[in-house]
Amino acid sequence: MSLSNSVTTELIDARSHSNQRTEFRLDDAYYASSLKLVDVGLIASKNPQGPDAGTNSASTIYPQINGVMQCIRNIYLYSGTTLLDSVQNCAQYSAIQALKTPNQGSIDLNRDLLLNGMGFSQSPIPVDGDIGTAARKPETLCTQDQSLKAACRLGNTKAEILANNQCPIAGVEDGASGSVMLSDLLQMLQGISVLPRLPNLRLLFEWDTDISHYADLGDQKNTSLSVIRPTLVAEKILGMGDETPDLAVPYMSTIVERFNIPKAHGADVKVTLAADPLALTNGSADITVTVSAAQSSILDLRQNEPVTIGGAPDIRKAASTAADATSISVTSGSPNVVCTLAAHGFKVADVITIANSADVGGIVAGNLNGDRTITAVTTNTFTFVAVANATGTATGGGGTVSYRLEQAFAAADLNQTFIIKSVAANQETFVITLDKAANFTDAGEGGGAVTVETVADKSSITRQSHRSQAFTNKFVRELVLFNLTSGSLPAAGDRYVTQQTRSPAQVNEVLQMVVNNVNHIPDQGINSEALRILYLNSAQPSLNVPYIAMLGDSGAQRLAAQDEKKAMIYPYGALRNNFSITAAKIGKRVDDLRFEHQRTYGSRAGSHDAYVLLCFGTVARTLTVKNGILNVSY
């Protein structure tokens, strides 16, 4: 029997389908690994643009780099309940895969499989033959298929078209959709040409219908996205027997691990707080500092990091006036002076300031008024020692005597650099610790001129070490790192990609991989774009350089000006698209793996925002079947 007669192509409908997930189940049989998903795409609930409605006045589009692959969140391949292979974070993974697709052959690929997301072409031909001049943006990659131009013309202005794979999301189910070769995503299908007869083979797709993850041309009018019901195309191999043979099949598989990178710090920031921002607790050396919500966002303070307080005055307790004119008592022949003040709260050794007292029992006013150290206390009295003995037993002082606790802290105690003890969850209060305890409780002190300043040059503080769990005790072929940022792109003109499909290089970002307790790359880590590309090309096939470089007009992309927007992406903006990935070939069993990450702080938010560092790793697995029992091991 010839091979052509022993293969049948099956169109498999989904067993279940929703906007969240779609599941396919295959018969127990042998299948070629060339599984394909067709009719992949989304429907916009309100979409007045595209070939469906005849106008592109407003549009939500698939990101240029991914095409319809953007709508796939995760893919899982099961045999029963045993996970054979998977790829998670498909948007980011497919963006990396797209960069590895050479231009050779891409034109035909995209003409036949619109929105497949895996091929790119650049064309200098006119954007619209009607006007006869190239009006495309330099960063736009234009398809050479003339038939797509009318469908993708923006705003019917005939001035430009959308880039290849950047067509509007359809408004009806039979509108534009794409095809996905699953072997482009699942490593198992790349390494095994024929899937053996496995029981209860299942494919599960999870979808992404979050409209914010798709490109917006600036006038997005869609309200929601829904998933087109896809079809699985499978080639079943006939005449192979009805039993699952004993076998042991090695293959590679992709797993992903996520590391949370906190916000970076850098240049000093100084703010002036509202009046009385300092709170004291009697007997505690901790002071709580309150800042506004806006100031907390600017300062971005963290535990164990330095902060400088300035402008704080001496802190004293408010003066208390005696209730009557006979609050001071003395005894003839004794220097002890007893003062009556209800619920005064003073302690032994506190220094108080007495003012406005008259002579009492022969002790002159000058020996009563002034700073005095308390030697004994009761609830409503305290005692200090005068410099002379009383000549008679008496009470007095006058009705205007006041008692004020001497400074709890001098200005010099407060106006210095501290290490932050703790920060509230909302970052609107933080705690510093002084060298001595407060001697009274007060909810607000400090006046109206207290300043808080972060310390400049915190780059050493931002060094983070992250220990891997997912790749331990596995053979790892290579690792690919992707910076998954949360912020949107800064300019409307850059919306042909999204934060889901870009990986920006942070300011002076350094990455080090420590494999089995040995630095895997140079001691300084990957700290330049030359090293980044060198290690990327050693671990991955050659990149689609025209795409990643976004070659276009001279000047704008390579300005040597100190432009933070360009410097954040690549030095002097030499490469566009905010796309930067890091990879390294490992090629060994990993018993211990750590990532060390460091970056400095730039003036643009994108350079210091928190983000997720995605690590895609290719690891070795083995599928074994023994006496009908299936097992997958690393």
Side-chain angles (χ1 to χ4, degrees):
M1 183 180 294
S2 67
L3 181 63
S4 61
N5 291 332
S6 63
V7 176
T8 180
T9 300
E10 295 190 344
L11 302 180
I12 302 173
D13 189 27
R15 174 68 63 91
S16 62
H17 172 72
S18 70
N19 277 343
Q20 289 71 47
R21 61 178 58 197
T22 299
E23 181 177 351
F24 295 90
R25 296 193 179 184
L26 288 76
D27 295 336
D28 293 353
Y30 289 83
Y31 291 92
S33 59
S34 55
L35 298 174
K36 182 191 300 184
L37 198 65
V38 299
D39 290 336
V40 181
L42 299 171
I43 307 168
S45 63
K46 294 182 179 179
N47 195 342
Q49 68 280 351
D52 313 304
T55 175
N56 290 334
S57 60
S59 187
T60 301
I61 58 178
Y62 298 104
Q64 175 182 335
I65 194 169
N66 278 355
V68 295
M69 286 193 183
Q70 178 72 24
C71 68
I72 305 175
R73 189 189 300 272
N74 303 311
I75 304 175
Y76 302 94
L77 176 62
Y78 288 95
S79 175
T81 58
T82 301
L83 181 64
L84 303 176
D85 198 6
S86 68
V87 59
Q88 300 179 49
N89 291 90
C90 282
Q92 294 76 40
Y93 185 77
S94 62
I96 297 169
Q97 296 299 101
L99 291 179
K100 301 188 303 184
T101 301
N103 274 338
Q104 184 179 4
S106 291
I107 299 174
D108 290 338
L109 195 66
N110 284 293
R111 183 176 290 138
D112 294 339
L113 299 175
L114 173 63
L115 294 174
N116 75 313
M118 297 303 295
F120 299 92
S121 59
Q122 253 185 328
S123 173
I125 64 175
V127 169
D128 192 319
D130 296 340
I131 59 178
T133 59
R136 68 179 177 90
K137 298 179 181 179
E139 67 270 17
T140 301
L141 303 178
C142 299
T143 178
Q144 295 187 26
D145 189 333
Q146 297 289 333
S147 65
L148 296 179
K149 291 183 178 180
C152 298
R153 187 177 298 131
L154 179 61
N156 290 329
T157 63
K158 299 184 179 181
E160 61 180 331
I161 63 169
L162 300 180
N164 183 35
N165 289 326
Q166 197 181 358
C167 289
I169 292 175
V172 293
E173 185 157 343
D174 60 354
S177 61
S179 303
V180 175
M181 292 295 298
L182 297 184
S183 59
D184 290 330
L185 298 172
L186 293 171
Q187 292 275 338
M188 184 180 191
L189 300 182
Q190 292 182 21
I192 301 176
S193 58
V194 175
L195 285 172
R197 182 185 179 92
L198 300 174
N200 301 318
L201 202 61
R202 299 188 296 130
L203 270 167
L204 178 63
F205 297 86
E206 294 179 342
W207 307 105
D208 184 359
T209 56
D210 186 337
I211 198 168
S212 67
H213 294 171
Y214 295 83
D216 174 10
L217 293 186
D219 190 18
Q220 196 174 66
K221 296 180 179 179
N222 305 311
T223 59
S224 64
L225 300 174
S226 57
V227 181
I228 297 173
R229 187 182 185 98
T231 299
L232 181 66
V233 180
E235 292 180 313
K236 180 187 290 187
I237 302 175
L238 306 177
M240 297 292 289
D242 296 331
E243 299 295 330
T244 301
D246 290 349
L247 51 84
V249 180
Y251 65 98
M252 306 305 292
S253 178
T254 300
I255 57 178
V256 60
E257 190 167 15
R258 301 164 182 84
F259 302 96
N260 294 318
I261 306 299
K263 287 186 178 181
H265 280 267
D268 59 308
V269 178
K270 186 175 183 178
V271 298
T272 300
L273 306 184
D276 298 327
L278 309 178
L280 293 72
T281 300
N282 191 13
S284 173
D286 291 345
I287 288 186
T288 300
V289 184
T290 299
V291 301
S292 68
Q295 290 170 334
S296 71
S297 177
I298 296 172
L299 293 168
D300 188 25
L301 300 171
R302 296 188 213 161
Q303 184 178 0
N304 297 325
E305 292 193 354
V307 67
T308 299
I309 305 295
D314 296 343
I315 291 183
R316 299 169 177 259
K317 188 174 182 180
S320 299
T321 302
D324 56 58
T326 58
S327 61
I328 296 179
S329 300
V330 297
T331 301
S332 180
S334 172
N336 294 327
V337 178
V338 179
C339 303
T340 300
L341 184 65
H344 53 74
F346 301 155
K347 304 184 303 295
V348 172
D350 279 352
V351 177
I352 64 165
T353 300
I354 300 176
N356 303 322
S357 176
D359 299 348
V360 179
I363 300 180
V364 298
N367 289 333
L368 296 173
N369 295 322
D371 294 343
R372 304 293 177 236
T373 301
I374 295 175
T375 58
V377 295
T378 66
T379 301
N380 297 316
T381 68
F382 60 91
T383 302
F384 69 89
V385 178
V387 296
N389 294 334
T391 58
T393 298
T395 59
T400 59
V401 177
S402 66
Y403 306 99
R404 185 179 65 188
L405 185 66
E406 189 50 64
Q407 61 192 46
F409 301 105
D413 297 326
L414 298 163
N415 298 319
Q416 56 178 301
T417 298
F418 300 92
I419 298 298
I420 297 175
K421 181 178 181 180
S422 62
V423 182
N426 63 5
Q427 292 196 323
E428 294 180 20
T429 62
F430 64 93
V431 177
I432 57 176
T433 302
L434 278 66
D435 294 333
K436 61 181 180 180
N439 48 16
F440 69 94
T441 296
D442 199 330
E445 284 286 353
V450 176
T451 61
V452 173
E453 183 176 7
T454 60
V455 178
D457 189 15
K458 295 187 180 182
S459 58
S460 61
I461 300 173
T462 62
R463 187 84 175 194
Q464 301 282 335
S465 180
H466 305 271
R467 185 176 297 276
S468 169
Q469 300 296 327
F471 298 104
T472 303
N473 301 322
K474 298 177 179 67
F475 178 89
V476 181
R477 187 172 67 188
E478 75 263 340
L479 298 169
V480 182
L481 303 172
F482 185 106
N483 297 349
L484 178 57
T485 59
S486 58
S488 60
L489 287 168
D494 293 329
R495 287 176 177 157
Y496 48 90
V497 292
T498 69
Q499 64 264 33
Q500 296 293 305
T501 55
R502 66 185 177 115
S503 181
Q506 305 299 303
V507 174
N508 296 324
E509 183 179 45
V510 178
L511 278 167
Q512 175 63 269
M513 301 179 190
V514 184
V515 181
N516 299 336
N517 295 313
V518 177
N519 285 356
H520 188 70
I521 54 183
D523 289 342
Q524 76 272 17
I526 295 179
N527 63 350
S528 70
E529 297 315 314
L531 276 176
R532 191 186 301 272
I533 294 175
L534 173 66
Y535 277 87
L536 186 62
N537 281 331
S538 72
Q540 301 288 310
S542 297
L543 296 178
N544 186 324
V545 175
Y547 181 79
I548 193 172
M550 297 305 243
L551 300 178
D553 63 341
S554 61
Q557 297 179 38
R558 291 182 167 83
L559 289 176
Q562 295 301 312
D563 186 332
E564 181 67 29
K565 176 181 176 181
K566 296 182 177 64
M568 187 188 87
I569 302 170
Y570 273 89
Y572 312 126
L575 299 181
R576 296 288 294 266
N577 218 22
N578 274 25
F579 205 96
S580 169
I581 52 179
T582 304
K585 186 179 294 182
I586 305 298
K588 65 176 68 174
R589 175 184 169 84
V590 172
D591 298 312
D592 182 81
L593 176 64
R594 298 195 315 275
F595 297 94
E596 293 182 357
H597 178 272
Q598 183 174 359
R599 55 182 169 152
T600 55
Y601 185 101
S603 61
R604 293 186 62 84
S607 70
H608 54 80
D609 279 351
Y611 68 89
V612 175
L613 180 64
L614 292 178
C615 182
F616 296 97
T618 305
V619 300
R621 305 179 79 173
T622 301
L623 167 66
T624 59
V625 179
K626 185 71 172 178
N627 298 325
I629 300 176
L630 183 146
N631 183 58
V632 173
S633 61
Y634 290 101

